[in-house]
Amino acid sequence: MFLTDRKDPEELLFYQALSRWRGLDKNSEEHLWRLRRGAAGERTYDLLFDEAGHSNLYVFRDLYLQIEGSVTQYDTLIVSESGITVNEIKNFSGDYRVEGTTWYRGDYALPDDALSQLRRAVGKLLRLKRAVSFEFEVSGKLVFPHEEFRLSGGEGSLFQHLVMRYDMRRYFRSFENEYSGGCASELADVIERHIVPNPYFKLRVEFDMVRQGLYCGGCGSFRLEKQSFHHLCLSCGSRESNETHLVRAISDFKYLFGDLEMTSRRMMGFMGGAVNVRTLQRILNKYCDAAGRYKSSNYIFKYYDFTEAMKKEQNTRKYKDYLN
Ligand SMILES: [Zn+2]
């Protein structure tokens, strides 16, 4: 069973918001593309794992563990009675080759050696052995969910650490006979105790460096026409409720400006006064926790991101969205 949700990484949410509110240079554009490709790979992985079934396992997804003073990110940890399996998901596409320990795409040498990364990630988990009274195994695989990924070169021993797209179903089914009893449950508890928030996400943009207004969730255009309870996009014809627009703006604010306090006055400026202050106040109260007194309140978004807020509050919204 999946114990943790897979969410879009904070970095992806930052660049996605920045691409709307300010625009991206070529490098950031490519970086965003890679982040999106990575997220798509994780979705494919989850889907295939779901199909194969994992009710007999504890599966952690997308987590940061602090072990002995340093923090390591894991795409997936599979816990069963025999131990922990690390799966690092690499959604590469195209032709790659390996020479020694260096991976190449064409003439371009990848800065990180994926296998060494995996070994370090596995090594960290071995240190958890001190926290439990029984022996367990830790192993790892690099999983490549993209159908268009091809790898040449590399010694035979390399390939025993890799799972290619065509082999993923068989790989997931290989866990069929595993089970999760007392040891697995204790291991899962130990892992849970070491989970920390992502300490590496530090990206920020200045409040004055972005445009003001609201943008269409369908096409991204800021050319919107105000209606009673909606905004109509003049570029693509989508019509979204004021609530949807404000939740998106609140979520983007969170990822764009980091520690900057979200006050109703600042929020009003951010969205260019596109809705009246009472509507804004109502949405802030619904989707955020407030600290401080009314006018100077600092609002903290209650949800991870726009997608989560829309899902969790879908039954409490009065007006529908019409996306083209
Ligand atoms: Zn539009």
Side-chain angles (χ1 to χ4, degrees), residues 215-221 223-224 232-238 240 323-324:
Y215 65 85
C216 167
C219 71
S221 169
R223 288 179 56 235
L224 303 180
L232 170 71
C233 174
L234 299 175
S235 299
C236 77
S238 291
E240 290 175 296
L323 280 180
N324 280 339

mmCIF file of all heavy atoms in Angstrom, residues 215-221 223-224 232-238 240 323-324, ligand 1:
data_model
loop_
_atom_site.group_PDB
_atom_site.id
_atom_site.type_symbol
_atom_site.label_atom_id
_atom_site.label_comp_id
_atom_site.label_asym_id
_atom_site.label_seq_id
_atom_site.Cartn_x
_atom_site.Cartn_y
_atom_site.Cartn_z
ATOM 1 N N TYR A 215 -4.536 34.566 -14.197
ATOM 2 C CA TYR A 215 -4.375 33.974 -15.523
ATOM 3 C C TYR A 215 -5.249 32.741 -15.699
ATOM 4 O O TYR A 215 -5.643 32.098 -14.727
ATOM 5 C CB TYR A 215 -2.901 33.645 -15.806
ATOM 6 C CG TYR A 215 -2.298 32.576 -14.920
ATOM 7 C CD1 TYR A 215 -2.432 31.223 -15.232
ATOM 8 C CD2 TYR A 215 -1.585 32.920 -13.774
ATOM 9 C CE1 TYR A 215 -1.873 30.245 -14.424
ATOM 10 C CE2 TYR A 215 -1.026 31.936 -12.956
ATOM 11 C CZ TYR A 215 -1.175 30.610 -13.286
ATOM 12 O OH TYR A 215 -0.631 29.639 -12.485
ATOM 13 N N CYS A 216 -5.519 32.458 -16.935
ATOM 14 C CA CYS A 216 -6.411 31.350 -17.293
ATOM 15 C C CYS A 216 -5.737 30.000 -17.022
ATOM 16 O O CYS A 216 -4.586 29.792 -17.397
ATOM 17 C CB CYS A 216 -6.756 31.494 -18.767
ATOM 18 S SG CYS A 216 -7.530 30.049 -19.480
ATOM 19 N N GLY A 217 -6.459 29.090 -16.374
ATOM 20 C CA GLY A 217 -5.927 27.758 -16.090
ATOM 21 C C GLY A 217 -5.867 26.894 -17.335
ATOM 22 O O GLY A 217 -5.183 25.880 -17.358
ATOM 23 N N GLY A 218 -6.569 27.319 -18.377
ATOM 24 C CA GLY A 218 -6.553 26.549 -19.622
ATOM 25 C C GLY A 218 -5.342 26.882 -20.468
ATOM 26 O O GLY A 218 -4.574 26.007 -20.859
ATOM 27 N N CYS A 219 -5.124 28.186 -20.721
ATOM 28 C CA CYS A 219 -4.068 28.554 -21.672
ATOM 29 C C CYS A 219 -3.012 29.480 -21.075
ATOM 30 O O CYS A 219 -2.009 29.776 -21.722
ATOM 31 C CB CYS A 219 -4.677 29.208 -22.910
ATOM 32 S SG CYS A 219 -5.319 30.869 -22.594
ATOM 33 N N GLY A 220 -3.220 29.976 -19.859
ATOM 34 C CA GLY A 220 -2.203 30.814 -19.223
ATOM 35 C C GLY A 220 -2.336 32.305 -19.519
ATOM 36 O O GLY A 220 -1.568 33.112 -18.993
ATOM 37 N N SER A 221 -3.290 32.678 -20.351
ATOM 38 C CA SER A 221 -3.429 34.094 -20.717
ATOM 39 C C SER A 221 -3.943 34.936 -19.537
ATOM 40 O O SER A 221 -4.775 34.490 -18.750
ATOM 41 C CB SER A 221 -4.410 34.205 -21.886
ATOM 42 O OG SER A 221 -4.756 35.554 -22.083
ATOM 43 N N ARG A 223 -5.438 37.742 -20.194
ATOM 44 C CA ARG A 223 -6.533 38.537 -20.779
ATOM 45 C C ARG A 223 -7.868 37.932 -20.344
ATOM 46 O O ARG A 223 -8.431 37.067 -21.004
ATOM 47 C CB ARG A 223 -6.424 38.544 -22.307
ATOM 48 C CG ARG A 223 -5.266 39.390 -22.815
ATOM 49 C CD ARG A 223 -5.177 39.340 -24.331
ATOM 50 N NE ARG A 223 -6.431 39.744 -24.976
ATOM 51 C CZ ARG A 223 -7.090 38.991 -25.859
ATOM 52 N NH1 ARG A 223 -6.658 37.805 -26.197
ATOM 53 N NH2 ARG A 223 -8.206 39.442 -26.406
ATOM 54 N N LEU A 224 -8.350 38.382 -19.185
ATOM 55 C CA LEU A 224 -9.574 37.819 -18.624
ATOM 56 C C LEU A 224 -10.638 38.900 -18.513
ATOM 57 O O LEU A 224 -10.331 40.065 -18.272
ATOM 58 C CB LEU A 224 -9.306 37.239 -17.227
ATOM 59 C CG LEU A 224 -8.217 36.172 -17.098
ATOM 60 C CD1 LEU A 224 -8.094 35.721 -15.645
ATOM 61 C CD2 LEU A 224 -8.485 34.967 -17.986
ATOM 62 N N LEU A 232 -13.786 35.130 -17.494
ATOM 63 C CA LEU A 232 -13.810 34.511 -18.820
ATOM 64 C C LEU A 232 -12.498 34.822 -19.525
ATOM 65 O O LEU A 232 -12.055 35.982 -19.564
ATOM 66 C CB LEU A 232 -14.979 35.092 -19.635
ATOM 67 C CG LEU A 232 -15.013 34.730 -21.123
ATOM 68 C CD1 LEU A 232 -15.385 33.263 -21.319
ATOM 69 C CD2 LEU A 232 -15.993 35.639 -21.878
ATOM 70 N N CYS A 233 -11.861 33.772 -20.090
ATOM 71 C CA CYS A 233 -10.600 33.985 -20.815
ATOM 72 C C CYS A 233 -10.915 34.461 -22.228
ATOM 73 O O CYS A 233 -11.638 33.800 -22.970
ATOM 74 C CB CYS A 233 -9.795 32.689 -20.858
ATOM 75 S SG CYS A 233 -8.319 32.833 -21.868
ATOM 76 N N LEU A 234 -10.344 35.612 -22.594
ATOM 77 C CA LEU A 234 -10.610 36.166 -23.923
ATOM 78 C C LEU A 234 -9.742 35.498 -24.988
ATOM 79 O O LEU A 234 -9.958 35.706 -26.178
ATOM 80 C CB LEU A 234 -10.364 37.679 -23.916
ATOM 81 C CG LEU A 234 -11.272 38.450 -22.940
ATOM 82 C CD1 LEU A 234 -10.894 39.924 -22.885
ATOM 83 C CD2 LEU A 234 -12.752 38.292 -23.307
ATOM 84 N N SER A 235 -8.774 34.690 -24.560
ATOM 85 C CA SER A 235 -7.921 33.992 -25.533
ATOM 86 C C SER A 235 -8.487 32.633 -25.918
ATOM 87 O O SER A 235 -8.500 32.273 -27.084
ATOM 88 C CB SER A 235 -6.509 33.795 -24.976
ATOM 89 O OG SER A 235 -5.926 35.042 -24.718
ATOM 90 N N CYS A 236 -8.952 31.859 -24.936
ATOM 91 C CA CYS A 236 -9.399 30.495 -25.273
ATOM 92 C C CYS A 236 -10.845 30.206 -24.890
ATOM 93 O O CYS A 236 -11.349 29.133 -25.173
ATOM 94 C CB CYS A 236 -8.478 29.454 -24.632
ATOM 95 S SG CYS A 236 -8.766 29.193 -22.864
ATOM 96 N N GLY A 237 -11.506 31.151 -24.204
ATOM 97 C CA GLY A 237 -12.921 30.964 -23.892
ATOM 98 C C GLY A 237 -13.197 30.172 -22.625
ATOM 99 O O GLY A 237 -14.355 29.928 -22.287
ATOM 100 N N SER A 238 -12.142 29.740 -21.913
ATOM 101 C CA SER A 238 -12.373 29.024 -20.647
ATOM 102 C C SER A 238 -12.998 29.980 -19.633
ATOM 103 O O SER A 238 -12.742 31.184 -19.654
ATOM 104 C CB SER A 238 -11.050 28.502 -20.078
ATOM 105 O OG SER A 238 -10.535 27.471 -20.875
ATOM 106 N N GLU A 240 -13.500 30.198 -15.502
ATOM 107 C CA GLU A 240 -13.237 29.600 -14.193
ATOM 108 C C GLU A 240 -13.800 30.487 -13.097
ATOM 109 O O GLU A 240 -13.797 31.716 -13.221
ATOM 110 C CB GLU A 240 -11.730 29.446 -13.978
ATOM 111 C CG GLU A 240 -11.082 28.388 -14.851
ATOM 112 C CD GLU A 240 -9.569 28.385 -14.664
ATOM 113 O OE1 GLU A 240 -8.915 29.380 -15.001
ATOM 114 O OE2 GLU A 240 -9.076 27.375 -14.154
ATOM 115 N N LEU A 323 -13.419 24.572 -18.654
ATOM 116 C CA LEU A 323 -12.109 24.722 -19.316
ATOM 117 C C LEU A 323 -12.207 24.292 -20.774
ATOM 118 O O LEU A 323 -12.785 23.253 -21.085
ATOM 119 C CB LEU A 323 -11.056 23.864 -18.608
ATOM 120 C CG LEU A 323 -10.455 24.442 -17.330
ATOM 121 C CD1 LEU A 323 -9.432 23.489 -16.762
ATOM 122 C CD2 LEU A 323 -9.832 25.817 -17.562
ATOM 123 N N ASN A 324 -11.605 25.090 -21.640
ATOM 124 C CA ASN A 324 -11.572 24.709 -23.056
ATOM 125 C C ASN A 324 -10.241 24.050 -23.391
ATOM 126 O O ASN A 324 -9.250 24.301 -22.777
ATOM 127 C CB ASN A 324 -11.764 25.929 -23.945
ATOM 128 C CG ASN A 324 -13.237 26.281 -24.029
ATOM 129 O OD1 ASN A 324 -14.092 25.427 -23.770
ATOM 130 N ND2 ASN A 324 -13.533 27.512 -24.359
HETATM 131 ZN ZN ZN B 1 -7.466 30.694 -21.720
#
